[in-house]
Amino acid sequence: MKKLLIIGMILFGTQATFAQQDVKAKAVLDKLSAKAKTFKTISATFMYELNNPTADINEKQEGSLISKGEKYNLNIAGQNVISDGKTKWTYIADAEEVQIDDATTEGEEALNPSKILTIYEDGFKYKYDKDITENGRAIQVVKLFPEQADDKPYHSALLYVDKVKNEVTKIELKGKDGSNYIYTITSFEVNKEIPDSKFVFNTAKHPEVEVIDLR
């Protein structure tokens, strides 16, 4: 679960009013926030990469997410985390088990994947970093710094934003232990029809799975 918690901390956050900081960075983030408010549903895939040269670690994994309001269905690192906004199921196929918990447990209030790509809206200072061209796209890079840095496993993050589409293309987290966590968005669609059944784990369809109720 540690990896999933880190993913939530990187990719997802809650809404808040921006403080007066870097004016150029604020303009980029305000545009992102305004656009995000028009999303009824999100369907996204991403590439997750973990690098730590000192520890000789270089891992890559694909992930996917769908969300609808407070509901979400996240696949990453061999785990499927599903929530209908009240209950959360963590299905681990290799272990043939599903863990059931409340959607929001103590200490995890900000780790809700339904808030995809809005990490910048709460608990961060920010400044404009640079303009780059990546894969033929004009990218604006904003650097984020957690206000409660002692409580975070990272010291800063880079947010890559497509200047034309006004969409996040990549998030890079700088860990305090020298690890770099990189999330590259490979596909992103919004406002598709998604049935509520996608946000509930159906134990009847998985009779072989051990159910572990942690509530």
Side-chain angles (χ1 to χ4, degrees), residues 19-37:
Q20 292 296 329
Q21 301 179 48
D22 185 304
V23 175
K24 190 172 182 179
K26 184 178 186 297
V28 174
L29 299 180
D30 280 348
K31 285 177 65 178
L32 280 177
S33 181
K35 187 172 182 178
K37 287 179 172 64

Side-chain angles (χ1 to χ4, degrees), residues 66-74 81-89 100-105 108-109 111-115 195-201 215:
I66 57 174
S67 70
K68 182 180 182 180
E70 296 293 319
K71 305 170 185 177
Y72 62 86
N73 188 317
L74 172 69
V81 184
I82 303 169
S83 175
D84 62 0
K86 297 179 180 179
T87 303
K88 179 177 68 178
W89 297 265
I100 304 177
D101 209 337
D102 294 328
T104 303
T105 55
E108 296 184 34
E109 292 81 359
L111 307 182
N112 185 346
S114 66
K115 308 296 184 183
D196 288 341
S197 59
K198 291 289 187 180
F199 306 107
V200 177
F201 183 82
R215 293 171 292 184

Side-chain angles (χ1 to χ4, degrees), residues 132-139 162 169-170 184-185:
I132 63 173
T133 299
E134 194 168 75
N135 298 322
R137 295 185 292 184
I139 302 295
D162 186 311
T169 63
K170 183 167 64 176
T184 302
I185 310 303

Side-chain angles (χ1 to χ4, degrees), residues 161-203:
V161 182
D162 186 311
K163 187 175 183 179
V164 176
K165 292 185 176 181
N166 190 32
E167 293 177 355
V168 174
T169 63
K170 183 167 64 176
I171 299 172
E172 184 174 349
L173 199 80
K174 304 292 187 179
K176 293 177 181 177
D177 64 351
S179 296
N180 295 319
Y181 305 88
I182 303 170
Y183 298 82
T184 302
I185 310 303
T186 52
S187 71
F188 188 75
E189 296 181 83
V190 299
N191 299 331
K192 293 175 60 177
E193 289 294 329
I194 302 176
D196 288 341
S197 59
K198 291 289 187 180
F199 306 107
V200 177
F201 183 82
N202 191 337
T203 54

Side-chain angles (χ1 to χ4, degrees), residues 140-156:
Q140 300 171 301
V141 184
V142 175
K143 197 164 190 178
L144 307 173
F145 305 92
E147 293 177 345
Q148 304 295 330
D150 291 343
D151 299 331
K152 303 292 189 296
Y154 52 90
H155 57 76
S156 62

